[in-house]
Amino acid sequence: MPLPALATVADLAALLGRTFTPEQELQAQALLDQASNVVRAYIRQDITRATTTDTFTMRRSDPVLHRCAGAVTLPQRPIVDIESVAMNGTETHDWWQDGNDLLLRSVTWNQPPVSNRPPQVTVTYTHGWDPVPADIQAIVLQAANRVIVNPAGIRTETVGGVSVTYLIPSTGEYLGVLLSRTEQRVLDRYRRTAGTVNLRSR
């Protein structure tokens, strides 16, 4: 199921101070969907509040240093609630949360039916923001607005000695619904950089 846009058509209309026709509403929604996908791809997060079931390959941990036998890192943030944890298909309550890490106290690594394989941990958890952070929403609206204000991507046009400059970055690069460097810097605080082995979602 597609994730919802991170801002609404009503938000965009309010930003522009105008009322959209039905055709313009469709265009605005498409642009907001594209901008939301670009933002999600950059920060590697779903952002909106949701409940997900994922299966991960457990990694070993130092039982003395970390007081656990294995761990997995949950990729979606922030974590609101962990509803259930199962190891190799069997539910377990022998775990605790440390930030985005799920730590399991007792782990059997080499026992059928997963001989010679690390344990597989299935986690159902709720994550994301509700509402969407204001700075993320603002960037999505800005990206959509760039296309509505200047769909041709023209920076300067001269007609009859009159020069008109459009809202394009000083580099002259047409961004469309892509992100500027300034917008990326704002989003960096939300960006996930650590790798996580995610086998499947359901």
Side-chain angles (χ1 to χ4, degrees):
M1 181 178 179
L3 293 170
L6 298 171
T8 67
V9 172
D11 294 330
L12 186 56
L15 176 67
L16 295 172
R18 59 185 284 192
T19 300
F20 291 135
T21 65
E23 293 77 11
Q24 290 170 335
E25 286 185 355
L26 292 175
Q27 180 195 28
Q29 185 63 65
L31 291 172
L32 291 170
D33 289 340
Q34 290 175 26
S36 299
N37 290 338
V38 168
V39 169
R40 286 187 169 109
Y42 180 76
I43 69 174
R44 302 169 188 165
Q45 296 290 307
D46 290 348
I47 302 172
T48 45
R49 181 71 54 83
T51 299
T52 302
T53 299
D54 283 344
T55 298
F56 309 93
T57 296
M58 184 183 295
R59 66 178 186 273
R60 291 185 183 273
S61 296
D62 187 325
V64 176
L65 182 62
H66 299 290
R67 299 177 294 108
C68 69
V72 297
T73 298
L74 303 179
Q76 295 299 326
R77 303 168 185 175
I79 296 173
V80 178
D81 182 53
I82 297 177
E83 299 180 14
S84 67
V85 178
M87 187 165 58
N88 295 333
T90 301
E91 186 171 3
T92 178
H93 300 281
D94 194 15
W95 58 269
W96 71 97
Q97 180 186 349
D98 182 11
N100 281 86
D101 286 336
L102 181 70
L103 308 177
L104 290 101
R105 192 182 311 276
S106 301
V107 177
T108 301
W109 286 85
N110 297 309
Q111 192 174 36
V114 288
S115 181
N116 301 320
R117 290 179 54 203
Q120 307 300 295
V121 181
T122 301
V123 184
T124 299
Y125 67 113
T126 301
H127 51 81
W129 287 271
D130 185 17
V132 173
D135 49 356
I136 292 179
Q137 186 180 69
I139 287 172
V140 169
L141 290 170
Q142 290 168 12
N145 181 48
R146 277 196 290 269
V147 179
I148 289 177
V149 170
N150 185 17
I154 300 172
R155 176 169 174 76
T156 302
E157 183 179 69
T158 302
V159 179
V162 178
S163 179
V164 180
T165 300
Y166 295 87
L167 300 176
I168 300 299
S170 59
T171 59
E173 178 186 8
Y174 177 55
L175 293 171
V177 296
L178 300 179
L179 301 173
S180 70
R181 292 188 183 92
T182 299
E183 290 166 341
Q184 289 175 347
R185 285 194 291 269
V186 173
L187 293 173
D188 281 343
R189 65 188 294 257
Y190 299 101
R191 196 177 191 202
R192 173 168 55 91
T193 56
T196 301
V197 177
N198 183 342
L199 297 181
R200 62 182 181 272
S201 300
R202 64 171 184 245

